[in-house]
Amino acid sequence: MSWLDEALRDMTQRMDVAIRAALSPEPRAGELMRPERLLAAMQHGTLNGGKRLRPLLMSECAAAFGRADDGVLVAAAALECLHSYSLVHDDLPAMDDDDLRRGQPTVHKAFDEATAILAGDSLLTLAFDLIAEPSVHPDAAVRLRLSQDLARAAGVGGMAGGQMLDLQAEHRTLGEEEIRTLQAMKTGALLRYACEAGARLGNASPEDVARLRRYGEVIGLAFQLADDLLDLEATPEVMGKATGKDAEAGKATLVSLYGADRTRQILAGLVEEATTLVAGLGPAGERLAGIAAFVAFRSH
Amino acid sequence: MSWLDEALRDMTQRMDVAIRAALSPEPRAGELMRPERLLAAMQHGTLNGGKRLRPLLMSECAAAFGRADDGVLVAAAALECLHSYSLVHDDLPAMDDDDLRRGQPTVHKAFDEATAILAGDSLLTLAFDLIAEPSVHPDAAVRLRLSQDLARAAGVGGMAGGQMLDLQAEHRTLGEEEIRTLQAMKTGALLRYACEAGARLGNASPEDVARLRRYGEVIGLAFQLADDLLDLEATPEVMGKATGKDAEAGKATLVSLYGADRTRQILAGLVEEATTLVAGLGPAGERLAGIAAFVAFRSH
């Protein structure tokens, strides 16, 4: 087992603990009670064996600047709640209409559609409760910045906007620039946020925040190219899910424009850029370089 | 036209300006672009002639402590975006399945279901972007508190949790305490937030914040009792929508438990309590007392 498999497994356990704590039946100050069924649906949507890449990125980016306490995990849990909400809503019948996620029934299948809508809404809302927790950062101004940046990354000009563009793309063929914009918003914004916010958690200088922000953008680009390449080349057996979906749907991807060989060259260039960006950041920087290589060259 | 009709009309215009500005096509820092269709759906869901009671409460509570600048309107717009998101999602086919709201097609009718889900998600997210704006309050710690309180009022232990309880109530009859809890969460939490947050915007003392918080709770109770009473007694012509829906759905309300006469007595008591709570807060306090009477005794 590589150090990265171990780190991801470790982060999965830490996130399960942090998210379970956030989804405790005990009402918090300002709440009257928390309905059992809604909590169960939120747990189903978050504690589902996701690989916790975003929390790991955030935590390593904070560690690169010397921060490694449990408050980082609270911020990472906020980010993962937000990521999970997007999956719960994307799976809905009116959206991608998926019955299964990681081999388990999706939330609207395990519960019902109304409950899934509310569970997604509540996970999104919970992210903004968690990110404001004092343990996240001693300075309220930093926590507020993390909160507002999260809203920007997730909203109409970020992830949700990217999902809108993706829905609209079903009716026409996008050009290269349009695909880049769509992907930078739909999947890139949250990956970039994970890294930039991690640097802020570690009190990085503005230059270093910008550097980690760019590292996050590069990770986002590599993540999407690798995903498209896998969809094109891997067998369903290796992926544990249907492949060739994009081609079947007549959906243009950057890989369909570039071809597999040029895509692999671009991926190599992205890993090189990412490695340069995190050079000099000690062991955490080395791990971040390793994550970039994993994201770009993973085979499943 | 009473001063209150005028104040509500005035607030509607101010909110339209503030929400239009927040939904500008121009991307903000950290955003790449804002999809036109998603913006249009968000506008449809927010700029729909709602009567802007929550923004008026927030603004009068801030005014009671001497604050009356445009920053208050940004916070009020955040609250109204959040309230609008809840209406957009509640109208969805999987929830209340409503085709019309204020005589206009609901968002999923005017656009489609996927767009309505995303528009609701994006309005909820936007609320947390707006509440963090520097104009809301010079102290970042106050803005952070407003943001976290908003998340608590809206989430699993607040509004969304109340909607969950309401959905579950379709399958069984609730007792008095259960109805009170449901209503305090579903409609009460956001009305209470409007008042408490308004006091914080005006730098009220902790005692005054608690006082306005209680005023907001009283408004929430009165709002719901008056609503149930109207559903029982008003004609569809007066209300501009179907009435007797609760009885028809076999839904227990507090009014069905108390009867109309006792309900009117309780409402009178609530108005008295509200009036006492805002006594001594100058002209804004007098207006807040007037709003309580309007909420309790409105005939449409």
Side-chain angles (χ1 to χ4, degrees), chain A residues 29 46 52 61 68 72-74 88 98-99 101-102 111-112 114 131 168 170 181 184 221-222 235 257 290 293 297:
Chain A
T46 42
R52 312 301 190 194
C61 288
V72 173
L73 297 178
V74 175
V88 172
D98 279 314
D99 292 354
R101 178 166 292 276
R102 303 189 174 281
F111 294 82
D112 57 64
I131 201 76
Q168 290 182 282
E170 283 168 20
T181 302
L221 290 167
T235 62
L257 295 175
F297 301 126

Side-chain angles (χ1 to χ4, degrees), chain B residues 54-251:
Chain B
R54 288 157 196 79
L56 184 65
L57 283 167
M58 181 182 267
S59 146
E60 292 295 356
C61 287
F65 301 96
R67 176 114 194 254
D69 59 273
D70 283 356
V72 173
L73 297 178
V74 175
L79 178 58
E80 201 63 3
C81 284
L82 199 137
H83 173 58
S84 301
Y85 121 74
S86 75
L87 302 180
V88 173
H89 279 190
D90 283 1
D91 286 339
L92 286 168
M95 306 272 260
D96 297 346
D97 195 14
D98 278 316
D99 292 354
L100 292 175
R101 177 168 291 277
R102 303 190 173 280
Q104 297 296 315
T106 47
V107 178
H108 65 274
K109 280 286 162 189
F111 294 81
D112 57 66
E113 219 178 307
T115 304
I117 294 168
L118 285 173
D121 293 344
S122 301
L123 285 168
L124 169 56
T125 309
L126 182 62
F128 293 100
D129 185 351
L130 292 175
I131 200 77
E133 281 294 279
S135 64
V136 165
H137 196 282
D139 184 347
V142 172
R143 305 204 299 279
L144 184 74
R145 176 68 196 258
L146 293 174
S147 181
Q148 191 172 34
D149 284 357
L150 184 59
R152 295 263 167 98
V156 58
M159 184 182 67
Q163 175 67 4
M164 181 80 243
L165 294 177
D166 206 18
L167 289 170
Q168 291 182 283
E170 284 167 19
H171 308 295
R172 60 193 203 82
T173 304
L174 301 185
E176 179 175 350
E177 264 319 298
E178 290 176 306
I179 300 175
R180 280 181 174 273
T181 302
L182 185 165
Q183 294 180 344
M185 290 167 71
K186 187 178 171 177
T187 54
L190 228 51
L191 288 164
R192 189 196 65 207
Y193 176 83
C195 301
E196 180 177 353
R200 286 191 199 283
L201 287 169
N203 294 315
S205 69
E207 294 72 29
D208 281 334
V209 169
R211 187 145 70 110
L212 274 287
R213 180 189 166 84
R214 175 62 193 161
Y215 167 85
E217 283 175 1
V218 170
I219 290 287
L221 290 166
F223 185 88
Q224 195 63 54
L225 284 173
D227 222 46
D228 294 343
L229 200 58
L230 281 168
D231 185 69
L232 190 75
E233 299 197 326
T235 62
E237 290 69 37
V238 170
M239 292 296 283
K241 63 176 182 183
T243 55
K245 283 201 301 188
D246 294 335
E248 202 178 306
K251 213 175 191 175

Side-chain angles (χ1 to χ4, degrees), chain A residues 105-253:
Chain A
T106 46
V107 178
H108 64 275
K109 280 286 162 187
F111 294 82
D112 57 64
E113 220 178 306
T115 304
I117 294 168
L118 285 174
D121 293 343
S122 301
L123 285 168
L124 169 55
T125 308
L126 182 62
F128 293 100
D129 185 352
L130 292 175
I131 201 76
E133 282 294 279
S135 65
V136 165
H137 196 283
D139 184 347
V142 172
R143 306 205 298 280
L144 184 74
R145 176 67 196 259
L146 293 174
S147 180
Q148 190 172 36
D149 284 358
L150 184 59
R152 294 264 168 98
V156 58
M159 185 181 67
Q163 175 68 3
M164 182 80 244
L165 295 177
D166 205 18
L167 289 170
Q168 290 182 282
E170 283 168 20
H171 309 295
R172 61 191 204 83
T173 304
L174 301 186
E176 180 176 348
E177 264 319 298
E178 289 175 307
I179 300 175
R180 280 180 174 276
T181 302
L182 185 165
Q183 294 181 344
M185 291 166 70
K186 186 178 172 178
T187 54
L190 227 51
L191 288 164
R192 191 196 63 209
Y193 176 83
C195 301
E196 182 178 350
R200 285 191 200 282
L201 287 170
N203 294 314
S205 68
E207 294 72 27
D208 281 333
V209 169
R211 188 145 68 111
L212 273 287
R213 179 188 166 86
R214 175 61 194 160
Y215 167 85
E217 282 174 3
V218 170
I219 290 286
L221 290 167
F223 184 88
Q224 194 63 53
L225 284 173
D227 222 47
D228 293 344
L229 200 58
L230 281 168
D231 186 68
L232 190 75
E233 299 197 325
T235 62
E237 290 70 36
V238 170
M239 292 296 283
K241 63 177 182 183
T243 56
K245 282 201 302 188
D246 294 336
E248 203 180 305
K251 212 176 192 176
T253 68

